[in-house]
């Protein structure tokens, strides 16, 4: 069990009402719903929606209190993002990522944090964590060049966090570099089937000077390394809290699809044969079961991410839950979509849009079921092996003469965790195949970080 470092004086976590006020979140959700069609056509959020997301506190949610931020919780962000996701999954995705990227930027040295937040804690940050480009060391820092794909919400970002390999780091370690968005070029490349409003285009940087105080090691963020000034929410390992934030927009979209489909089915049921009506009843019950189960699982994962202590098994468990949840949501919405098509009366258009959005989220590398299963099984088997070995050693210590054996051969070694790498290629048994989308291209080792 690992105890996170406590926040220093003046860095207590914000309480209840200060975290993403429900009225402000509701206003952002209404705007997102009103402008969802425009966001999908133009492949960017509406200006009004961006402003309301910012005023609701998404960008400042994990910002250190020293800079006026909230140092918020994963649970509060899950609820707020899923509420916005019911209006527009793309808006919820950008809001959740702006929040998460504020948490990432808390790993910058104090001078770097000042550059981002001295004027306001509502700085919107877009991050690309898949390493790319080239960072050339200089006496004062680095020269950064290259291109980074899938920069969600970049059109409205104030700052960027871009990851690249640092040749000065042992073993080719990666660093994250902060730079103002105006120092990068945005290339229009986002052509996904779903989540079109995220505007996840490519950013290109050409020999931009990055001072030392605007960089940190990616390994520290991945592990949730404690340090002075980092609150509890900042020292959460990336995979303990990341997956549930990916799922939050999909949860909102699935709940919206269920509500819209239910209204549609209620209107059409009286004109359908009894057998068809019974089929609609079953579809509604099964999809509601899956979507509500997904919500309960995500709230459980959020409580674990917000807990004062965590173990390695908690990280693997939350990753497993996120992969399972996206499968539940995708199957639930897919069933609603197919039932509408089969009935002979076209289902509501919103179900089709939600279906595309959920399937696009499901294609993300971090939510792949196979690797999540392997990681979880390894953590479970490792713990069980250690417990079994300790039990055997304890039992042997009670046998007369065992402690006198010169070579200690009677004391069994702790068995190693089984190698499950051969299972990495086993396909998901889900009944719903997830299509390839641009998000599926995130194959870099650290792409699973938001």
């Amino acid at each position: 069990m690992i105890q996170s470092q406590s926040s220093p004086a003046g860095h207590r976590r914000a309480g209840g009402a200060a975290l993403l006020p429900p009225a402000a979140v509701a206003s952002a959700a209404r705007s997102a719903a009103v402008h969802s069609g425009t966001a999908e056509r133009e492949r960017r959020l509406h200006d009004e929606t961006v402003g309301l997301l910012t005023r609701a506190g998404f960008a400042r949610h994990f910002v250190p209190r020293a800079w006026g931020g909230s140092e918020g919780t994963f649970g509060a962000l899950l609820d707020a993002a899923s509420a916005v996701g019911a209006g527009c999954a793309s808006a919820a995705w950008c809001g959740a990522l702006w929040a998460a990227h504020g948490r990432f930027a808390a790993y910058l040295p104090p001078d770097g944090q000042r550059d981002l937040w001295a004027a306001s804690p509502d700085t919107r940050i877009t991050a690309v964590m898949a390493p790319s480009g080239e960072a050339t060391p200089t006496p004062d820092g680095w020269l950064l060049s290259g291109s980074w794909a899938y920069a969600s919400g970049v059109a409205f970002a104030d700052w960027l966090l871009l990851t690249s390999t640092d040749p000065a780091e042992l073993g080719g370690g990666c660093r994250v570099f902060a730079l103002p968005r105006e120092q990068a070029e945005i290339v229009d490349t986002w052509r996904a089937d779903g989540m079109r409003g995220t505007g996840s285009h490519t950013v290109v940087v050409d020999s931009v000077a990055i001072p030392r105080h605007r960089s940190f090691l990616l390994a520290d963020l991945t592990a949730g390394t404690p340090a002075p000034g980092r609150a509890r929410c900042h020292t959460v390992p990336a995979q303990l809290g990341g997956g549930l934030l990916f799922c939050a927009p999909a949860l909102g979209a699935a709940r919206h699809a269920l509500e819209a489909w239910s209204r549609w089915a209620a209107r059409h049921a009286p004109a359908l044969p009894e057998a068809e009506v019974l089929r609609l009843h079953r579809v509604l019950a099964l999809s509601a079961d899956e979507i509500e189960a997904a919500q309960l699982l995500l709230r459980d994962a959020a409580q674990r991410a917000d807990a004062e202590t965590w173990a390695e098994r908690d990280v693997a468990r939350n990753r497993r839950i996120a992969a399972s949840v996206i499968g539940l949501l995708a199957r639930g919405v897919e069933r609603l979509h197919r039932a509408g098509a089969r009935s002979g009366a076209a289902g509501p258009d919103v179900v089709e849009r939600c279906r595309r959005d959920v399937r696009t989220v499901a294609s993300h590398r971090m939510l792949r079921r196979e690797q999540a299963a392997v990681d979880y099984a390894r953590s479970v088997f490792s713990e069980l092996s250690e417990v079994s070995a300790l039990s055997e050693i304890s039992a042997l210590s009670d046998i007369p003469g065992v402690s006198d054996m010169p070579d200690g051969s009677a004391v069994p070694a702790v068995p190693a965790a089984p190698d499950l790498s051969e299972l990495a290629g086993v396909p998901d048994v889900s009944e719903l195949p997830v299509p390839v989308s641009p998000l599926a291209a995130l194959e870099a080792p650290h792409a699973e970080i938001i």
Side-chain angles (χ1 to χ4, degrees):
M1 189 72 70
I2 299 174
Q3 175 76 44
S4 289
Q5 178 169 308
S6 300
S7 301
H11 283 255
R12 297 182 183 276
R13 306 171 85 189
L19 300 179
L20 298 161
V25 171
S27 294
R30 285 192 295 270
S31 175
V34 168
H35 299 295
S36 59
T38 301
E40 184 167 45
R41 288 192 303 273
E42 297 183 357
R43 292 175 297 114
R44 57 173 279 159
L45 300 182
H46 194 278
D47 290 352
E48 177 191 82
T49 303
V50 172
L52 289 172
L53 287 170
T54 304
R55 284 196 286 277
F58 280 88
R60 69 167 61 195
H61 185 67
F62 286 126
V63 172
R65 290 288 301 276
W67 305 111
S70 301
E71 289 184 4
T73 65
F74 286 89
L77 183 56
L78 169 65
D79 289 343
S82 60
V84 174
C88 174
S90 292
W93 180 272
C94 290
L97 292 192
W98 286 330
H101 298 159
R103 191 178 82 86
F104 294 1
Y107 280 78
L108 287 168
D111 286 345
Q113 295 183 31
R114 180 178 294 106
D115 289 348
L116 270 68
W117 295 314
S120 170
D122 292 318
T123 299
R124 291 186 293 268
I125 303 168
T126 287
V128 181
M129 309 312 292
S132 185
E134 182 178 4
T136 303
T138 68
D140 300 319
W142 300 265
L143 279 180
L144 187 65
S145 297
S147 63
W148 286 260
Y150 313 116
S152 295
V154 67
F156 300 98
D158 301 304
W159 283 76
L160 305 176
L161 295 178
L162 303 176
T163 307
S164 187
T165 301
D166 182 1
E169 292 293 329
L170 294 177
C174 295
R175 298 191 71 90
V176 181
F177 302 93
L179 63 154
R181 186 187 64 80
E182 57 265 24
Q183 292 185 340
E185 176 189 0
I186 302 176
V187 181
D188 188 336
T189 56
W190 183 241
R191 297 289 187 277
D193 184 50
M195 303 295 286
R196 294 173 182 171
T198 63
S200 301
H201 300 300
T202 297
V203 295
V204 177
V205 174
D206 185 14
S207 297
V208 171
I210 308 293
R212 293 192 178 280
H213 67 270
R214 290 185 187 170
S215 180
F216 61 87
L217 289 172
L218 179 61
D220 287 342
L221 171 62
T222 303
T225 303
R230 289 179 191 162
R232 166 65 181 87
C233 63
H234 303 139
T235 57
V236 173
Q239 292 185 7
L240 183 61
L244 69 94
L245 298 185
F246 278 122
C247 292
L251 173 61
R255 291 195 311 220
H256 185 38
L258 181 65
E259 180 182 356
W261 186 91
S262 299
R263 290 196 301 266
W264 168 87
R267 290 195 306 269
H268 286 82
L272 297 175
E274 183 178 358
E276 185 66 16
V277 172
L278 290 175
R279 188 181 69 83
L280 293 182
H281 292 174
R282 289 193 295 271
V283 166
L284 176 59
L286 287 172
S287 291
D289 283 347
E290 289 169 334
I291 294 168
E292 290 173 11
Q295 178 172 296
L296 292 172
L297 285 168
L298 286 177
R299 286 180 173 169
D300 174 67
Q303 289 179 353
R304 199 169 296 108
D306 288 326
E308 289 300 322
T309 59
W310 54 271
E312 292 298 336
R313 184 168 173 177
D314 294 325
V315 178
R317 183 178 180 184
N318 270 17
R319 187 173 186 183
R320 185 207 76 200
I321 285 175
S324 297
V325 159
I326 200 64
L328 289 170
L329 297 174
R331 286 193 295 275
V333 175
E334 181 74 18
R335 184 182 294 105
L336 298 174
H337 171 73
R338 292 180 180 178
R342 178 177 170 180
S343 69
D349 291 340
V350 68
V351 173
E352 165 59 21
R353 176 166 60 84
C354 292
R355 170 180 175 262
R356 287 188 283 104
D357 287 342
V358 172
R359 285 164 67 94
T360 298
V361 174
S363 70
H364 199 284
R365 174 183 172 85
M366 188 173 185
L367 301 177
R368 292 183 181 176
R369 192 76 175 270
E370 299 88 350
Q371 189 58 50
V374 170
D375 292 345
Y376 180 71
R378 281 176 172 159
S379 70
V380 172
F381 294 167
S382 177
E383 283 189 12
L384 292 176
S385 297
E386 291 175 5
V387 170
S388 176
L390 290 174
S391 297
E392 291 182 29
I393 293 172
S394 177
L396 286 169
S397 66
D398 296 331
I399 301 176
V402 167
S403 60
D404 297 329
M405 291 185 175
D407 60 356
S409 58
V411 181
V414 177
D419 182 9
L420 302 181
S421 58
E422 62 183 12
L423 298 180
V426 176
D428 191 356
V429 296
S430 167
E431 65 191 55
L432 175 66
V434 177
V436 174
S437 84
L439 287 178
L442 296 177
E443 294 291 348
H446 301 290
E448 65 270 12
I449 304 176
I450 294 181

